[in-house]
Amino acid sequence: MSTSFRVTPWEVEGLVNYDRLIKEFGTKPLTDELIEKTRELTKSDLPLFLRRRFFFSHRDYDLILRDYEEGRGFFLYTGRGPSGPMHIGHIIPFYMNRWFQEKFDVNLYIQITDDEKFIFKPDMKFRDAKMWAYDNILDIAAVGFDPSKTFIFQDSEYTKIYEMAVPISKKITFSTAKAVFGFNESSKIGMIFFPAIQAAPTFFERKRCLIPAAIDQDPYWRIQRDVAESLGYYKTAAIHGKFFPPLTGLSGKMSASMPETAIYLTDDPDTVRNKIWRFALTGGQATVKEQREKGGNPEKCVVFKWLEMFFEPDDEKLLQRYEDCKAGRILCGECKNYLIEKVQGFLKKHQRKRKIMEPVVKELKYTGKLAREMWDRSIPKELS
Amino acid sequence: MSTSFRVTPWEVEGLVNYDRLIKEFGTKPLTDELIEKTRELTKSDLPLFLRRRFFFSHRDYDLILRDYEEGRGFFLYTGRGPSGPMHIGHIIPFYMNRWFQEKFDVNLYIQITDDEKFIFKPDMKFRDAKMWAYDNILDIAAVGFDPSKTFIFQDSEYTKIYEMAVPISKKITFSTAKAVFGFNESSKIGMIFFPAIQAAPTFFERKRCLIPAAIDQDPYWRIQRDVAESLGYYKTAAIHGKFFPPLTGLSGKMSASMPETAIYLTDDPDTVRNKIWRFALTGGQATVKEQREKGGNPEKCVVFKWLEMFFEPDDEKLLQRYEDCKAGRILCGECKNYLIEKVQGFLKKHQRKRKIMEPVVKELKYTGKLAREMWDRSIPKELS
């Protein structure tokens, strides 16, 4: 296993050693006990994200479960930086959020950081970030959230967020922001301020906030946790996801700048077939004969990883496939075809839902119960 | 004359050498030609602010006059940081703005930076900055602006300003902000971002912006002028005022933390009399006899300065008083009494108007023609 990898909110490089990330980020592993406790409290079968440790690390998730158990409740917060079309790796964490919302019956806030993407991407126009915000929100809405308990907002539009970011921004020194995010003399002042904007939604309610998101966003929450209590709020909790690997290998994240590494939510069935067929890295042997004799390496296979992480919810079938591969009973082409069908099926359903999302987006952003409350409210007294 | 003085947006110390400020700030002196040209274009008698060079320096004021003459027009922008009650030195620049608005028939935007005051003052609560914003706006409204052409807004409320600050904040590096404002490692990230918020109103219209304000605010405009053209806008113009001196001497500014140095807009007639009588520094001699023989020093006299800068609009009377003082024909007590009456008269009128400002404030902030336009509009295409 490679020992050289790098994770910041802007880049994920190399083959990620998740155990080491837990140590480096100072988070805690998501234990069997916590997962079992989640099952008990929700009285539900666990989703594969938890069963298979797609979420593997956390901060204060134990306190979230305690707050829920003791009737204080909690709320969910997640987000998306709209820099381009969404791919499969982007949408998966939203399914985890949906599961949490459904099972715990809690509010969910989804921040679309068009300001961030515009400020951090040198060549991006503000209007393009806003256009992608619109586009991405259609995809997110298609996941299917409770419109009375979900609020999706774009920073450039829900500018009330600025009022709430101000008291947070009074608590964070340049030196802290620099240490956490690596800012320097040529960082733009908008970049330096942005951590306050991203932290603001954790103060939307007086309950504890749970953020299910990929672990690369954790530095933002570390800053929130430094200042929250001095503002009269809880430190936010987080549950950290792994990265959905690119088609081309198990290292790094899918990247919009390398379209062959990703399946986009807008890809048609032929494109899906071509991409998986041509680019997906498997753990197969060089020849059919060798594969039959030695068996494959599902641990090194992106096709198997995609099935494991999202596309094969049936544990028994997954295990069977693992053993068949190891034993040389199936060939890579068969697995690829299986994944192609699964992905095509998922996208067909997604694209059909996305088409009719416009009225739903209106509810989620403006007219739903939670959305209306958020547009009408003032900032909490504690922050004033 | 003292040679040690210091002017930043946060402090004014020592006896200010305005000629040297022009050199240090790299601005231009407001020439007789420009003042004469202003008279011609407005077909009006000049206000004492211009006749007596209370405004003494500028950036691109010549271009403002040219734009006006050639039919392109311009707009006005000024502001107030609501950190406490307003005193006479705070309100005077608003009279200059009113004159410009009346004579050139242009829009005026007044930014109330409750965010700034909260962020920069370690012990200030956000709610107190907002409370002072409300209070100060009553005073500002009492000056009497055209409600269809004036928009008063608080940053914490008109948070659309954030959307407009974002593209500006993408153009300013930490290193620039540091050089201009002296930020350091322990500066809060809200402070570092604030220059983008203060620059935003200069982009409210595609016309050239004229900012009549005290010269200590100039650093903000320098940053605006660095980035404006790359955003498709004009560099802002400015016309710089002197500081209204504290009662206690010609050095520095009036200060809210030394109440004896200032007359507040809420002071009652007795307080005015007491403060001027007890604290006003004059240029008189030690004894009546000496005063009669040698005459006084109006150049060193705060009472004379206050009359010159605001309270004696009649040039002839002012000159007569100057000569009478020099010749020993009047005593300091007489001048103090004269000023006391003038200030009491001004405050009586102001306080009467302030009392009935609530409906006017509503117009200026929300329902007037310009205010409605500003709440309804999107940010300009050029910034998107």
Side-chain angles (χ1 to χ4, degrees):
Chain A
M1 191 170 277
S2 160
T3 52
S4 160
F5 65 97
R6 187 176 154 72
V7 175
T8 71
W10 307 288
E11 44 183 353
V12 176
E13 278 169 17
L15 191 58
V16 178
N17 179 331
Y18 288 106
D19 290 337
R20 221 171 88 189
L21 267 191
I22 287 177
K23 273 199 200 112
E24 282 186 10
F25 277 45
T27 64
K28 288 185 186 158
L30 192 67
T31 60
D32 292 349
E33 289 72 18
L34 283 170
I35 287 176
E36 178 53 23
K37 175 107 185 171
T38 305
R39 205 188 51 72
E40 277 170 32
L41 288 175
T42 60
K43 302 176 190 74
S44 296
D45 291 340
L46 292 170
L48 62 83
F49 306 114
L50 291 178
R51 286 198 320 267
R52 298 182 190 158
R53 308 292 190 272
F54 181 80
F55 283 82
F56 69 102
S57 151
H58 77 100
R59 292 187 187 271
D60 290 350
Y61 181 59
D62 47 339
L63 301 183
I64 287 284
L65 295 181
R66 198 196 58 191
D67 282 359
Y68 179 78
E69 198 171 16
E70 297 176 358
R72 282 185 300 277
F74 66 92
F75 67 100
L76 293 161
Y77 161 40
T78 193
R80 156 83 187 142
S83 54
M86 287 176 83
H87 57 57
I88 279 178
H90 293 136
I91 203 72
I92 287 179
F94 288 95
Y95 281 88
M96 184 71 224
N97 278 280
R98 188 183 74 179
W99 187 86
F100 275 116
Q101 178 176 61
E102 265 176 28
K103 299 303 172 188
F104 289 99
D105 192 29
V106 291
N107 287 341
L108 165 62
Y109 301 89
I110 303 176
Q111 182 180 44
I112 310 296
T113 58
D114 51 2
D115 50 349
E116 174 201 18
K117 285 302 165 187
F118 163 63
I119 293 173
F120 280 83
K121 298 209 158 231
D123 297 327
M124 181 162 266
K125 303 261 181 228
F126 206 3
R127 70 178 75 105
D128 291 334
K130 291 172 186 177
M131 186 270 288
W132 285 119
Y134 177 82
D135 174 277
N136 293 178
I137 290 171
L138 287 172
D139 285 316
I140 292 165
V143 172
F145 299 102
D146 180 343
S148 70
K149 294 198 167 166
T150 306
F151 178 47
I152 304 188
F153 60 100
Q154 270 166 262
D155 290 338
S156 73
E157 212 179 70
Y158 187 71
T159 53
K160 261 173 198 272
I161 195 86
Y162 173 67
E163 189 192 3
M164 207 172 287
V166 163
I168 303 164
S169 76
K170 189 180 178 177
K171 295 277 183 184
I172 305 171
T173 61
F174 176 66
S175 136
T176 299
K178 190 168 125 176
V180 176
F181 300 108
F183 294 133
N184 57 40
E185 294 287 308
S186 44
S187 297
K188 305 305 187 296
I189 63 174
M191 298 178 178
I192 297 168
F193 184 68
F194 182 72
I197 294 280
Q198 180 143 342
T202 64
F203 301 104
F204 278 177
E205 300 189 12
R206 287 303 305 278
K207 300 170 181 173
R208 209 180 295 273
C209 172
L210 174 64
I211 303 169
I215 194 162
D216 57 340
Q217 297 301 307
D218 188 72
Y220 286 109
W221 321 138
R222 247 177 288 160
I223 281 205
Q224 192 274 0
R225 290 169 60 87
D226 280 350
V227 306
E229 290 178 347
S230 74
L231 287 161
Y233 274 77
Y234 289 115
K235 292 180 178 187
T236 190
I239 178 164
H240 303 111
K242 295 179 182 169
F243 308 112
F244 202 79
L247 273 183
T248 42
L250 292 179
S251 302
K253 282 204 294 192
M254 293 191 196
S255 164
S257 51
M258 292 180 290
E260 72 276 14
T261 62
I263 302 283
Y264 288 92
L265 297 180
T266 45
D267 281 349
D268 60 34
D270 284 349
T271 307
V272 170
R273 168 164 299 279
N274 279 333
K275 281 187 181 171
I276 294 179
W277 201 257
R278 287 182 55 197
F279 300 116
L281 183 87
T282 66
Q285 304 294 348
T287 65
V288 174
K289 186 165 174 283
E290 248 184 291
Q291 174 88 355
R292 294 291 184 206
E293 283 168 18
K294 303 188 188 163
N297 284 301
E299 294 85 357
K300 294 184 178 172
C301 174
V302 171
V303 173
F304 187 80
K305 207 75 192 157
W306 278 37
L307 291 170
E308 179 194 332
M309 288 179 113
F310 191 71
F311 289 104
E312 180 54 272
D314 185 323
D315 288 352
E316 230 165 282
K317 282 191 186 167
L318 189 75
L319 190 63
Q320 189 61 53
R321 182 172 301 275
Y322 180 87
E323 284 166 359
D324 287 349
C325 173
K326 285 294 231 189
R329 285 193 293 269
I330 48 172
L331 299 178
C332 295
E334 294 170 64
C335 283
K336 280 186 174 181
N337 274 329
Y338 187 77
L339 178 64
I340 287 166
E341 272 168 40
K342 289 280 189 183
V343 174
Q344 286 173 337
F346 171 77
L347 287 185
K348 194 176 158 191
K349 216 170 124 192
H350 176 82
Q351 290 163 7
R352 210 170 49 220
K353 279 192 285 178
R354 184 188 142 103
K355 265 193 197 135
I356 53 165
M357 277 303 120
E358 229 165 285
V360 179
V361 166
K362 212 179 142 199
E363 272 188 280
L364 294 166
K365 288 183 80 179
Y366 311 112
T367 62
K369 185 171 166 289
L370 183 61
R372 260 185 295 115
E373 276 169 31
M374 292 304 292
W375 282 99
D376 291 345
R377 72 184 285 196
S378 329
I379 76 165
K381 241 208 317 274
E382 293 72 26
L383 292 178
S384 72
Chain B
M1 189 172 277
S2 160
T3 51
S4 160
F5 65 97
R6 187 176 155 72
V7 176
T8 71
W10 306 288
E11 44 183 352
V12 176
E13 278 169 15
L15 190 59
V16 178
N17 179 333
Y18 288 107
D19 290 337
R20 220 172 89 190
L21 267 192
I22 288 178
K23 274 199 199 112
E24 280 185 12
F25 276 46
T27 64
K28 286 184 188 160
L30 193 66
T31 60
D32 292 348
E33 289 72 19
L34 283 170
I35 287 177
E36 177 53 24
K37 176 107 182 170
T38 305
R39 204 189 53 72
E40 276 170 32
L41 289 175
T42 59
K43 300 180 192 72
S44 297
D45 291 339
L46 292 170
L48 62 82
F49 307 113
L50 292 178
R51 286 198 320 267
R52 298 182 191 159
R53 307 294 190 273
F54 183 81
F55 283 83
F56 69 102
S57 152
H58 76 102
R59 292 186 188 272
D60 289 352
Y61 181 59
D62 47 337
L63 301 182
I64 287 284
L65 296 181
R66 198 195 59 192
D67 282 1
Y68 179 77
E69 198 170 15
E70 296 176 358
R72 283 186 299 278
F74 67 92
F75 67 100
L76 293 162
Y77 161 40
T78 193
R80 156 85 188 143
S83 54
M86 287 177 83
H87 57 56
I88 279 178
H90 294 135
I91 204 72
I92 288 180
F94 287 96
Y95 281 87
M96 184 72 225
N97 278 279
R98 188 182 75 178
W99 186 86
F100 275 117
Q101 177 176 61
E102 265 177 25
K103 299 304 172 185
F104 289 99
D105 193 29
V106 291
N107 287 340
L108 164 62
Y109 301 90
I110 302 175
Q111 182 180 44
I112 309 296
T113 58
D114 51 2
D115 50 350
E116 174 201 18
K117 286 302 165 187
F118 164 63
I119 294 172
F120 279 83
K121 298 208 159 233
D123 298 327
M124 181 163 263
K125 302 262 180 226
F126 206 2
R127 70 178 76 105
D128 291 333
K130 290 172 186 176
M131 185 270 289
W132 285 120
Y134 177 81
D135 174 275
N136 293 177
I137 290 171
L138 287 173
D139 286 316
I140 293 166
V143 171
F145 299 103
D146 180 344
S148 69
K149 294 198 166 166
T150 306
F151 179 47
I152 303 187
F153 60 101
Q154 269 167 263
D155 290 338
S156 72
E157 210 179 73
Y158 187 70
T159 53
K160 261 174 197 269
I161 195 88
Y162 173 67
E163 189 191 3
M164 207 172 286
V166 163
I168 302 165
S169 77
K170 190 181 178 178
K171 295 277 183 183
I172 304 172
T173 61
F174 176 66
S175 135
T176 299
K178 190 168 122 175
V180 175
F181 299 107
F183 294 134
N184 57 42
E185 293 289 307
S186 43
S187 297
K188 305 305 189 296
I189 63 174
M191 297 179 180
I192 297 168
F193 184 68
F194 182 72
I197 295 280
Q198 181 145 340
T202 65
F203 301 104
F204 278 177
E205 299 190 13
R206 287 305 304 278
K207 298 172 182 171
R208 207 180 297 271
C209 173
L210 175 63
I211 303 170
I215 194 161
D216 56 341
Q217 297 301 306
D218 189 72
Y220 286 109
W221 321 137
R222 248 178 287 159
I223 282 205
Q224 191 274 1
R225 290 169 61 87
D226 280 351
V227 307
E229 289 178 346
S230 74
L231 287 162
Y233 273 76
Y234 291 113
K235 291 180 178 186
T236 190
I239 178 164
H240 304 110
K242 295 179 183 170
F243 308 113
F244 202 77
L247 273 183
T248 41
L250 292 177
S251 302
K253 283 204 292 192
M254 291 191 197
S255 163
S257 51
M258 292 179 289
E260 72 276 15
T261 62
I263 303 283
Y264 289 92
L265 297 180
T266 45
D267 281 349
D268 61 35
D270 284 347
T271 308
V272 170
R273 167 165 301 277
N274 280 333
K275 280 188 183 171
I276 294 179
W277 202 257
R278 288 182 55 197
F279 300 117
L281 183 87
T282 65
Q285 304 295 347
T287 63
V288 173
K289 187 164 172 283
E290 247 184 293
Q291 174 88 354
R292 294 292 184 206
E293 283 167 17
K294 301 188 189 162
N297 285 301
E299 295 86 357
K300 292 184 179 170
C301 175
V302 171
V303 173
F304 187 81
K305 208 69 190 164
W306 278 37
L307 291 170
E308 178 193 334
M309 288 178 113
F310 192 69
F311 289 103
E312 178 54 273
D314 185 322
D315 287 352
E316 231 165 283
K317 282 191 189 168
L318 188 74
L319 190 62
Q320 189 60 53
R321 182 171 301 276
Y322 181 86
E323 283 167 1
D324 286 349
C325 173
K326 285 293 229 192
R329 282 192 295 269
I330 49 172
L331 300 177
C332 295
E334 295 171 63
C335 283
K336 279 185 173 180
N337 273 329
Y338 187 77
L339 179 65
I340 286 167
E341 272 167 41
K342 288 282 189 181
V343 174
Q344 285 174 337
F346 171 78
L347 287 185
K348 192 177 161 190
K349 218 170 123 190
H350 176 82
Q351 290 164 6
R352 212 173 45 221
K353 278 193 285 177
R354 185 189 141 105
K355 266 195 197 134
I356 53 167
M357 277 303 119
E358 229 167 282
V360 179
V361 166
K362 210 179 144 197
E363 272 189 280
L364 293 167
K365 288 183 80 179
Y366 311 113
T367 61
K369 187 170 164 289
L370 184 60
R372 261 185 292 115
E373 276 170 33
M374 292 305 292
W375 283 99
D376 291 345
R377 72 184 288 197
S378 328
I379 75 164
K381 244 213 311 276
E382 294 72 25
L383 291 178
S384 72

